[in-house]
Amino acid sequence: MQAPTAALQGLLSGTRVYVVPVSASALSAHASGVERLLASYRSIPPTASVRLAKPTSNLFRARTKRDAPGLDTSGLTGVIGVDPDARTADVAGMCTYEDLVAETLRYGLSPLVVPQLKTITLGGAVTGLGIESASFRNGLPHESVLEMDILTGAGELITVAPDRHPDLYRAFPNSYGTLGYSTRLRIELEPVKPFVALRHIRFHSLTAMVDAMDRIVDTGGLDGVAVDYLDGVVFSADESYLCVGRRTLTPGPVSDYTGQDIYYRSIQHETGVKEDRLTIHDYFWRWDTDWFWCSRSFGAQNPRVRRWWPRRYRRSSVYWKLVAADQRFGITDRIEARKGRPPRERVVQDIEVPIERTREFLEWFGRNVPIAPIWLCPLRLRGHNEWPLYPIRPDRTYVNIGFWSSVPAGAAGSSAGATNRKIERKVTELAGHKSLYSDSFYSREEFEELYGGESYATVKKTYDPDSRLLDLYAKAVQRR
């Protein structure tokens, strides 16, 4: 790939120098996309709020429909360039991980953390937090960001890095677009191998499972062998699994869970260890085909239905659209009403608690929330930096616990989101945090204590002085 000309280097910033090798056409296309984004910002009346125009989403918050046009991000969806020697990539903010991974795998590289769903964007994972089975050693996606170009609420395009606008760089993770939108991110990459060898280890007690997880995180290995990927699934108090992955060059047969077989069901066995192998590509997207286990709600796991369900439609983005249609038209609640049952409360959440409190949360959850399976993913921040809008300690292991289903709503007159509120209280009691991609019910005082408070307010005032973007509480809780 040829190096960009000096003229093209100056398209986005008069002083920026691109280190990642990019073609002139890629840089020019990105510059045009940025110009369209800026033009769309300028076209929005000063009194109107600013938002993205997105065809897809991985959020599960109720949102008010707006007729006003959003920002044009159509030119910000690609990989700008990959430097295999430096192991870095420049990526447009709206590039999906599906497209990013397809490009980096050509060089035997991958992002340090690849969130589980194909249509999650790099910018979305950084501003909204992402996690996956490499997070016990690589932390969260924003920790691999070397620098970002951000369109702020004030309409300015600025480059941020640990030593350039460090206040915005630190506050951007978990800000969900309320401080600005990333147009370009330079990220670290790591080498991968063609295959992942998996060991699914069965546990008959939650204590034993959590203890084993803690040991793997602390030592980075199992039975003297390095571990590259680690997550788990809890089906019940006496049936849980750790899924331990090791990258390998060794060729051999691999499983395919894009057909009739379903990945999460393949994990289950009676006792001991069950082994499996996937290509690195299929490992990254092992959860996407069936949206973990949520595709069962649409009949996609019924063998007779699955046989006729086109493979290209067995993916999280399709299921999300079905959920959005259900929410829009109230289909599930109508069905429940016809059966004489109450409406259902959506309980779609990811939370993090310290690993030493994980068993306590799982036991409480099992007694109080009728949802299974649930997903576990250990997390340890890579460095010693603190991120004010999601203040988990850098020297501590946490476990992300994901549960995505619904429960019967409370009796008439009870507060909305009764089960979600109970979960929020329990997570706070256990010194944990909750992701903000779904419904939240905190008071403003509780929210500010948990998610940045004065630190957020200071950065917000600096980079969005006229409040063109919603504030974080309004976006995450009030859902305007």
Side-chain angles (χ1 to χ4, degrees):
M1 303 178 78
Q2 68 184 56
T5 65
L8 284 173
Q9 286 178 342
L11 279 175
L12 302 184
S13 169
T15 60
R16 181 169 307 131
V17 176
Y18 278 81
V19 177
V20 177
V22 296
S23 69
S25 60
L27 188 56
S28 179
H30 180 70
S32 296
V34 172
E35 284 303 318
R36 291 202 299 276
L37 176 75
L38 294 172
S40 65
Y41 177 94
R42 292 190 290 266
S43 70
I44 298 174
T47 56
S49 61
V50 177
R51 65 178 182 85
L52 292 181
K54 294 180 62 177
T56 62
S57 175
N58 286 285
L59 299 179
F60 282 84
R61 300 189 225 100
R63 292 179 294 176
T64 303
K65 183 176 176 58
R66 291 183 173 88
D67 296 326
L71 296 176
D72 181 358
T73 61
S74 59
L76 302 174
T77 60
V79 178
I80 305 167
V82 175
D83 186 338
D85 296 323
R87 295 178 182 171
T88 58
D90 270 23
V91 186
M94 294 294 292
C95 179
T96 66
Y97 273 91
E98 181 176 23
D99 291 340
L100 174 57
V101 166
E103 183 67 19
T104 62
L105 284 183
R106 293 173 52 208
Y107 302 93
L109 300 168
S110 80
L112 269 61
V113 178
V114 179
Q116 313 91 327
L117 306 181
K118 293 178 177 179
T119 56
I120 293 175
T121 63
L122 178 59
V126 170
T127 194
L129 303 185
I131 194 168
E132 233 295 328
S133 59
S135 289
F136 79 100
R137 58 184 178 83
N138 286 339
L140 297 172
H142 60 265
E143 295 187 89
S144 66
V145 174
L146 301 173
E147 67 176 32
M148 289 180 282
D149 295 339
I150 295 176
L151 174 63
T152 68
E156 299 175 324
L157 186 65
I158 62 176
T159 300
V160 306
D163 59 349
R164 301 168 68 182
H165 302 284
D167 54 346
L168 181 55
Y169 176 83
R170 297 277 177 228
F172 196 72
N174 209 45
S175 64
Y176 281 90
T178 65
L179 296 175
Y181 302 108
S182 57
T183 63
R184 178 190 65 92
L185 304 96
R186 178 170 296 157
I187 62 169
E188 300 174 73
L189 305 174
E190 68 174 5
V192 293
K193 295 176 181 177
F195 307 101
V196 175
L198 283 166
R199 300 178 69 193
H200 303 309
I201 306 170
R202 165 86 188 248
F203 295 89
H204 296 273
S205 80
L206 295 173
T207 298
M209 182 270 295
V210 173
D211 287 347
M213 178 188 291
D214 200 12
R215 287 194 299 271
I216 293 172
V217 174
D218 277 347
T219 64
L222 176 67
D223 298 332
V225 178
V227 171
D228 297 306
Y229 304 110
L230 177 64
D231 63 355
V233 179
V234 175
F235 290 89
S236 66
D238 58 3
E239 184 188 3
S240 59
Y241 300 86
L242 291 183
C243 304
V244 180
R246 177 178 57 85
R247 296 186 293 232
T248 178
L249 290 166
T250 305
V254 293
S255 298
D256 178 4
Y257 296 106
T258 64
Q260 289 297 104
D261 295 332
I262 297 167
Y263 176 69
Y264 83 95
R265 291 181 176 173
S266 76
I267 294 171
Q268 292 183 277
H269 57 277
E270 289 301 318
T271 189
V273 179
K274 180 179 180 181
E275 296 187 348
D276 197 1
R277 284 169 49 89
L278 294 169
T279 66
I280 184 67
H281 174 276
D282 286 354
Y283 178 80
F284 284 143
W285 307 129
R286 68 201 182 284
W287 292 120
D288 187 87
T289 301
D290 285 287
W291 211 9
F292 286 81
W293 30 80
C294 298
S295 69
R296 62 188 178 184
S297 300
F298 313 109
Q301 294 181 25
N302 182 314
R304 289 174 294 180
V305 175
R306 196 176 185 86
R307 187 172 294 110
W308 296 101
W309 193 301
R311 288 191 183 210
R312 67 183 182 277
Y313 294 143
R314 290 184 211 147
R315 51 185 289 141
S316 59
S317 55
V318 171
Y319 306 136
W320 187 91
K321 290 178 182 178
L322 295 175
V323 169
D326 178 43
Q327 293 173 357
R328 182 178 180 183
F329 298 108
I331 299 170
T332 297
D333 286 347
R334 293 181 184 181
I335 293 173
E336 294 296 298
R338 289 180 180 177
K339 295 180 178 180
R341 297 196 291 250
R344 299 189 66 83
E345 176 187 351
R346 181 176 60 191
V347 182
V348 176
Q349 305 287 357
D350 278 73
I351 64 97
E352 268 109 25
V353 293
I355 195 165
E356 64 270 19
R357 311 301 296 271
T358 297
R359 178 188 57 80
E360 183 178 351
F361 179 85
L362 292 173
E363 290 176 346
W364 174 88
F365 190 89
R367 293 192 301 268
N368 290 275
V369 185
I371 292 176
I374 56 180
W375 184 63
L376 307 182
C377 186
L379 156 70
R380 197 173 179 95
L381 295 181
R382 288 176 70 200
H384 300 289
N385 297 318
E386 294 187 0
W387 307 90
L389 271 62
Y390 208 74
I392 60 176
R393 283 171 39 184
D395 58 345
R396 194 173 194 179
T397 300
Y398 294 79
V399 178
N400 176 280
I401 304 172
F403 35 92
W404 315 293
S405 189
S406 64
V407 300
S414 61
S415 59
T419 297
N420 284 283
R421 292 173 191 269
K422 288 195 296 186
I423 292 169
E424 289 178 351
R425 290 193 295 269
K426 190 63 179 180
V427 170
T428 300
E429 175 190 325
L430 299 180
H433 278 75
K434 189 184 85 165
S435 297
L436 299 176
Y437 70 85
S438 190
D439 300 310
S440 296
F441 297 89
Y442 299 106
S443 69
R444 182 173 284 276
E445 292 74 18
E446 292 171 322
F447 188 86
E448 290 180 353
E449 183 177 350
L450 293 169
Y451 297 101
E454 188 59 37
S455 296
Y456 172 76
T458 300
V459 178
K460 178 74 168 174
K461 185 176 181 180
T462 301
Y463 296 98
D464 185 21
D466 298 322
S467 297
R468 297 295 305 278
L469 307 170
L470 287 178
D471 73 38
L472 188 57
Y473 183 76
K475 191 163 191 176
V477 181
Q478 294 174 328
R479 304 181 296 281
R480 297 191 313 188

